């Protein structure tokens, strides 16, 4: 059984990742794949509990290091319980956020720096690397407006409060943005940067192009094995 393909989606809050991951999943299913879709934080029973703790705006005074440790606790659990077994079984895994989020938000936004994040990733996550990362970076203003609108709607509909990050100031998001760009420049072979204010269809097309290339690449690699 050949190993599955691990694809992550990254971007600022409100960048449209969730819509795109659902469309990509449908696209893959239409081509006979059975992708596993998951997200971070969350995606396991333990992870969902960590998610409510870390995203709830009532979690006041959470130290940046504690926040980062919780993100990694969630991730280590997700890798062990969901991601690694699926990859071993040859499945495509689509993950909404992964360690690039920790590097961008805690490393950049919270100013903890990249090296501690990368080191923890090696220690706690076996340095698991995505085969492909789709980084959606529409205009900062547009992203923030969408995130505010969406979180307000979620709170109105079911009382869930996932606003802790949305309450951050613009300077925080600029640092997150900057760090994402740094990651893309550092790892051009893994990270496909999709920037600008594109329509949902245009973003989907870019994503499909990048994923098709990777899939063709892994089939070629199998044939030459
Ligand atoms: P989520 O509702 O998944 O946001 P979105 O739909 O915008 O992706 O919330 C995840 C939030 O958690 C988001 O603000 C980014 C933050 N986050 C981190 O700060 N570090 C991390 O390692 C991860 C995975 C998420």
């Amino acid at each position: 059984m050949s190993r599955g393909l691990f694809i992550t989606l990254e971007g600022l809050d409100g960048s449209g990742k969730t819509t795109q991951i659902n469309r990509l999943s449908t696209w893959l299913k239409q081509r006979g794949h059975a992708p596993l879709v998951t997200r971070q934080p969350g995606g396991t029973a333990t992870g969902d509990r960590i998610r409510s703790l870390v995203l709830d705006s009532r979690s006041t005074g959470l130290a940046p290091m504690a926040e980062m440790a919780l993100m990694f606790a969630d991730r280590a659990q997700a890798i062990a319980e969901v991601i690694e077994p699926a990859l071993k079984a040859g499945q495509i895994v689509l993950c909404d956020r992964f360690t690039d989020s920790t590097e961008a938000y805690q490393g950049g936004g919270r100013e903890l720096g990249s090296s501690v994040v990368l080191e923890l990733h090696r220690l706690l996550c076996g340095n698991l690397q995505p085969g492909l990362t789709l980084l959606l970076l529409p205009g900062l203003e547009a992203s923030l407006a969408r995130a505010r609108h969406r979180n307000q709607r979620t709170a109105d509909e079911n009382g869930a409060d996932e606003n802790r990050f949305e309450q951050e100031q613009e300077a925080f998001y600029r640092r997150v943005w900057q760090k994402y760009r740094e990651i893309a420049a550092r790892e051009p072979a893994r990270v496909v940067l999709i920037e600008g204010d594109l329509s949902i269809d245009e973003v989907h097309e870019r994503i499909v192009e990048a994923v098709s290339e990777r899939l063709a690449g892994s089939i070629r690699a199998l044939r030459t094995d």
Side-chain angles (χ1 to χ4, degrees):
M1 170 73 66
S2 65
R3 195 169 160 81
L5 178 61
F6 183 29
I7 301 176
T8 60
L9 265 92
E10 292 283 353
L12 266 86
D13 309 64
S15 55
K17 284 182 292 84
T18 310
T19 308
Q20 293 298 339
I21 218 164
N22 290 336
R23 285 193 64 172
L24 175 58
S25 170
T26 305
W27 184 87
L28 285 165
K29 283 181 192 154
Q30 285 163 351
R31 277 148 194 84
H33 298 282
L36 181 125
V37 180
T38 186
R39 67 169 177 180
Q40 295 190 351
T44 63
T46 306
D48 285 338
R49 295 171 72 186
I50 296 175
R51 181 181 174 91
S52 21
L53 183 68
V54 85
L55 299 189
D56 192 322
S57 51
R58 286 168 299 181
S59 297
T60 50
L62 194 60
M65 285 292 186
E67 181 180 272
M68 178 170 61
L70 287 167
M71 295 299 183
F72 271 110
D74 165 72
R75 184 162 303 126
Q77 184 65 33
I79 290 172
E81 197 178 319
V82 175
I83 299 174
E84 196 51 52
L87 290 174
K88 276 207 183 98
Q91 254 181 301
I92 295 177
V93 175
L94 304 180
C95 192
D96 191 341
R97 297 190 179 282
F98 194 61
T99 298
D100 292 328
S101 281
T102 314
E103 191 177 345
Y105 283 77
Q106 281 66 52
R110 302 273 188 238
E111 300 181 276
L112 297 179
S114 289
S115 53
V116 64
V117 175
L118 298 177
E119 188 58 24
L120 285 173
H121 187 68
R122 267 191 293 278
L123 290 169
L124 302 174
C125 302
N127 209 27
L128 176 66
Q129 296 295 325
L132 172 65
T133 295
L134 302 154
L135 172 55
L136 312 188
L137 277 184
L140 183 61
E141 275 313 311
S143 302
L144 293 182
R146 266 185 270 175
R148 279 191 210 107
H149 178 72
R150 189 205 46 185
N151 276 285
Q152 192 49 51
R153 202 180 53 207
T154 310
D156 290 347
E157 278 167 9
N158 60 15
D161 178 349
E162 296 198 336
N163 289 330
R164 209 169 64 83
F165 280 96
E166 278 69 23
Q167 289 169 354
E168 289 300 331
Q169 303 303 311
E170 199 175 304
F172 173 89
Y173 282 104
R174 284 194 191 287
R175 290 195 295 274
V176 174
W177 169 279
Q178 196 50 47
K179 188 57 88 178
Y180 266 136
R181 299 192 68 88
E182 213 180 290
I183 296 169
R186 184 182 71 209
E187 294 181 57
R190 170 175 68 88
V191 181
V192 172
L193 176 60
I194 301 173
E195 33 180 3
D197 291 310
L198 303 173
S199 71
I200 292 177
D201 286 343
E202 284 167 330
V203 173
H204 176 65
E205 268 165 38
R206 302 261 181 106
I207 287 179
V208 158
E209 207 178 299
V211 171
S212 305
E213 259 174 44
R214 281 314 138 115
L215 287 174
S218 38
I219 291 166
R220 264 198 307 276
L222 276 181
R223 287 207 184 111
T224 52
D225 268 352

